[in-house]
Amino acid sequence: MAKEYTKPLPRPAPESEPFWAAARDHKLKIQKCRSCGNHWFPPSEHCPECLSADHDWIEASGRGRVFSFVTYQRLYNKGWEGEVPYVVALIELDEGPRLLSNLTGIAPENVACDMAVKVVFDDVTPEVTLPKFTPA
Amino acid sequence: MSVPQPNPALRDKYAIAGTGTSRLGQVPDVSSLGLMEEASANALSDAGLTAKDIDGLLVRGPDDIYTFHQVLGERLGINASFSTTTTNGGASQILSVILAVMAIDAGLASVVLCGFGRDAWSRTHRTEQARISGATRSAAMDTQEFGPEYGLFGAPAMHAFGARRHMHEFGTTREQFGAISLAFREHAQRNPQAQMLGRPLTMEDYLAARMIVEPFCLLDCSLRSDGAGAVIVTSTERARDMKQKPVLIKGFGTHNNLRGWFDGDNMLRTAAGPSGQRAYAMAGLGPKDIDCAQIYDCFTYMVLTQLEDYGFCKKGEGGDFVSSGTLALDGALPTNTSGGQLSETHNEGMLQIVEGARQLQGIYGPDRQVPAAETCLVSGHGGNTVCHSSLILGAA
Ligand SMILES: [Zn+2]
């Protein structure tokens, strides 16, 4: 029997629902302004560059780099029991926006700033998929 | 749009007239409000005042206590013509001093008590879950997406992102972070109130310490503490008639990188840069004129980047700067002379205002006094790691 998923699940703001719906379809979507062309994340109603409310949710390339990362050596939440050490990385997408995620397919000691990564999708429950990243 | 600059006509016009602290460290028999009462009473007594003499109250406690200033005012038995609770995290405490000056200058108050109290040690030692999560504020306040689901918890990680990127861009090393930790620990050995009194530290100890969130080990992280601090702000003219030697408020500044710690270069070039430039301009001083510094030290890296951002050395050279003995009591820039939040007590910067003021009053013995200190830079940083306040104090 599959182990019960005990990590916290996202509790999205209404503005973020399209991001999580796309993740369920294994797509990484971010907002793009129709007025000035700016890409942004995390989600909000108006473009942070020009305040236009006119935007599209576009599918990002899914490629980027590790801008910075931290390695947890201490357990903060029982959901990660037996999984320490683990890495939380700040990913800078090729489109510009940055988002936090985990890295898969690489040991924590091999992670480096500026390494190229690409998105993968982790279906953690039937309802929730987390975009994660792996070396490109 | 012109860049805002604080009015230099306010330089030296206002002063700190008294300082006080509560019991510090592990004080489980009293709440954050009780600690704040102790510090307030001590600051008032230091200035030769009673609670009835103050008409302004700018204070802060744990962020889950609604209108902390009202609850404290009730306990102190006072009404106020001007009062509020600030919510800029570790930048709030200097911000309170700045707001006090603004309120007095605008005629809304004449004698203002500024302070901060917290019971962070007690809160995280009451239950097992509280100990594991290490949360000093309620879970309902935390973001519920784009962080916790990936295992992002706690303040160390947020600051560690900056430390890691700084190491990557400038070759900064863990030993250089360690030099900061060691310097402040040495200062704590001279401070009878310090939580880390009697526990000196070597670089071997630092490098052997338990890792928390790499690149930070336990000794890169500030202490978990109960405690409170308070200062009395009034006009310099009025302060001269009070009990203590006034400490002049020479300059101040603020800057808040509201776009976030993860935006642009914010984790490498913090809001301390523009905030400090404003304070220097108001005081008519530059980094070379500063005799000692009390730098907000929630984590070692934050001291390193702020020293760069305040212009004490160039961006990227903080590692060499801190590892050459500069921060010691007999160094070129004695810094966090009480032991700071890494080794005295973590009080979100309030005790660093108290320490800066006391150094300029020259109240300490030769083992702890910065000789002939005329100026002190105090910094406050927080509010999701992007809010910053600066204060330049001067001897009267
Ligand atoms: Zn736009």
Side-chain angles (χ1 to χ4, degrees), chain B residues 241-261:
Chain B
D241 294 333
M242 292 181 189
K243 210 166 127 191
Q244 303 296 339
K245 184 180 164 194
V247 177
L248 301 177
I249 296 171
K250 302 189 81 66
F252 50 67
T254 62
H255 195 75
N256 302 325
N257 282 332
L258 303 181
R259 293 189 63 147
W261 184 238

Side-chain angles (χ1 to χ4, degrees), chain A residues 67-117:
Chain A
F67 184 77
S68 190
F69 67 99
V70 300
T71 309
Y72 277 77
Q73 296 286 359
R74 173 194 183 282
L75 184 70
Y76 277 79
N77 181 291
K78 285 183 174 172
W80 276 264
E81 215 151 28
E83 294 180 34
V84 171
Y86 68 92
V87 169
V88 180
L90 181 65
I91 308 297
E92 182 174 283
L93 299 175
D94 284 354
E95 290 83 359
R98 293 176 184 166
L99 72 166
L100 289 168
S101 191
N102 296 131
L103 297 178
T104 65
I106 183 168
E109 61 270 25
N110 295 330
V111 179
C113 289
D114 290 341
M115 67 183 290
V117 292

Side-chain angles (χ1 to χ4, degrees), chain B residues 49-205:
Chain B
L49 302 174
T50 71
K52 307 289 185 253
D53 295 317
I54 56 174
D55 49 22
L57 194 57
L58 294 165
V59 291
R60 176 169 165 262
D63 290 317
D64 52 10
I65 298 182
Y66 181 65
T67 57
F68 189 85
H69 67 107
Q70 184 279 317
V71 192
L72 181 69
E74 193 172 326
R75 289 189 176 210
L76 297 178
I78 59 161
N79 298 319
S81 54
F82 187 74
S83 69
T84 194
T85 300
T86 44
T87 81
N88 284 23
S92 304
Q93 286 53 254
I94 289 173
L95 181 62
S96 289
V97 173
I98 296 172
L99 288 173
V101 168
M102 291 165 68
I104 300 169
D105 207 64
L108 279 169
S110 61
V111 184
V112 182
L113 185 143
C114 303
F116 174 73
R118 74 188 317 212
D119 50 357
W121 184 85
S122 293
R123 280 178 180 225
T124 50
H125 288 76
R126 283 185 188 125
T127 67
E128 173 67 4
Q129 183 49 45
R131 191 191 63 74
I132 290 175
S133 71
T136 54
R137 56 185 196 181
S138 70
M141 290 178 63
D142 288 323
T143 314
Q144 294 300 309
E145 60 180 337
F146 312 129
E149 68 273 45
Y150 294 107
L152 182 81
F153 302 102
M158 288 297 285
H159 299 80
F161 280 108
R164 175 75 76 191
R165 187 72 201 181
H166 200 282
M167 294 167 88
H168 175 75
E169 291 208 8
F170 304 115
T172 310
T173 65
R174 283 199 61 226
E175 284 82 353
Q176 291 170 333
F177 295 142
I180 295 170
S181 193
L182 265 57
F184 301 170
R185 184 63 66 91
E186 201 282 326
H187 293 159
Q189 306 316 307
R190 304 156 182 268
N191 176 359
Q193 277 195 304
Q195 278 176 262
M196 289 296 131
L197 177 68
R199 294 173 66 177
L201 202 62
T202 65
M203 187 57 81
E204 289 66 40
D205 298 331

